[in-house]
């Protein structure tokens, strides 16, 4: 299932819809203004919070925490940097690790678990420059989590000038 994201620079407090392939609202990204740290909520069309993303305070490296039902679900950190690709690691609370790699700022990257593709994020499916898709390739994958990971790593990469 592909989820369409209209890409633009968002400030804290900005909200935007992510649509499914049929153009229906699938998720609302709700930026929380006036918070001490960067906070985003991914909501369903009825307004229920599915995932909360928070900038991790007092971390040596830039990190964001992922919460579900106000409980920690994962931590996202930059893994390593090479000249052509960014790498992020998503560490779930159960110890499972997802690898995010590719050209994040170009919106051309993948999310994998032990070498298996879970999601492909790309602009190649669209002619509109400010649009990219999160293609969740496994039907049993947690689409909300994968969309949240994509939004989060893009936000983290945009905060680090000179990368990518």
């Amino acid at each position: 299932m592909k989820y369409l994201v209209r890409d633009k620079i968002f400030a804290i407090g900005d909200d935007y819809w992510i649509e499914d392939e049929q153009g229906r609202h699938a998720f609302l990204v709700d930026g929380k203004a006036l918070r001490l740290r960067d906070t985003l909520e991914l909501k369903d069309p009825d307004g229920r919070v599915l995932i909360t993303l928070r900038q991790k305070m007092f971390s040596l490296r830039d990190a964001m925490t992922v919460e579900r039902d106000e409980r920690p679900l994962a931590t996202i950190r930059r893994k390593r940097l090479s000249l052509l690709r960014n790498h992020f690691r998503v560490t779930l609370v159960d110890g499972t690790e997802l690898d995010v790699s590719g050209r994040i700022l170009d919106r051309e990257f993948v999310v994998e678990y032990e070498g298996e593709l879970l999601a492909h994020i790309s602009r190649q499916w669209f002619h509109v420059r400010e649009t990219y898709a999160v293609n969740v390739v496994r039907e049993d994958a947690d689409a909300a989590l994968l969309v949240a990971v994509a939004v989060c790593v893009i936000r983290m990469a945009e905060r680090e000038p000179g990368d990518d």
Side-chain angles (χ1 to χ4, degrees):
M1 168 72 78
K2 284 185 186 140
Y3 296 94
L4 173 72
V5 182
R6 299 212 192 303
D7 197 17
K8 59 183 178 179
I9 303 298
F10 296 103
I12 303 296
D14 282 350
D15 301 343
Y16 58 97
W17 282 101
I18 295 173
E19 300 172 347
D20 65 15
E21 291 176 283
Q22 288 75 41
R24 296 181 302 243
H25 288 169
F27 303 108
L28 174 67
V29 178
D30 184 359
K32 296 299 180 182
L34 304 173
R35 300 280 174 107
L36 205 51
R37 54 189 174 166
D38 195 2
T39 302
L40 299 170
E41 291 178 340
L42 188 70
K43 298 179 176 180
D44 70 10
D46 295 324
R48 289 186 297 270
V49 176
L50 303 172
I51 302 275
T52 302
L53 301 166
R54 296 183 204 280
Q55 182 179 9
K56 195 165 179 138
M57 303 278 297
F58 311 114
S59 178
L60 292 175
R61 294 184 303 168
D62 192 22
M64 294 200 63
T65 58
V66 180
E67 299 173 3
R68 178 174 275 147
D69 299 325
E70 298 183 18
R71 291 190 305 262
L73 178 62
T75 301
I76 302 173
R77 286 190 173 88
R78 177 175 295 280
K79 184 175 173 186
R80 64 183 178 265
L81 180 66
S82 70
L83 293 176
L84 301 175
R85 300 168 69 84
N86 287 120
H87 294 265
F88 288 83
R89 175 170 287 142
V90 181
T91 306
L92 281 76
V93 292
D94 68 1
T96 301
E97 291 184 345
L98 307 180
D99 187 52
V100 181
S101 63
R103 296 184 323 273
I104 307 296
L105 294 179
D106 290 337
R107 309 312 189 251
E108 295 294 336
F109 60 98
V110 296
V111 181
E112 298 175 313
Y113 170 68
E114 294 185 348
E116 181 181 350
L117 182 65
L118 298 178
H120 180 209
I121 293 76
S122 179
R123 282 193 169 136
Q124 75 180 2
W125 296 298
F126 301 102
H127 298 291
V128 180
R129 186 178 166 357
E130 290 80 26
T131 303
Y132 68 92
V134 177
N135 184 17
V136 178
V137 297
R138 282 190 48 164
E139 288 187 29
D140 63 339
D142 185 340
L145 175 61
L146 294 171
V147 167
V149 165
V151 168
C152 186
V153 298
I154 289 168
R155 192 172 194 97
M156 290 172 74
E158 287 175 342
R159 285 198 307 243
E160 297 181 7
D163 288 351
D164 225 16

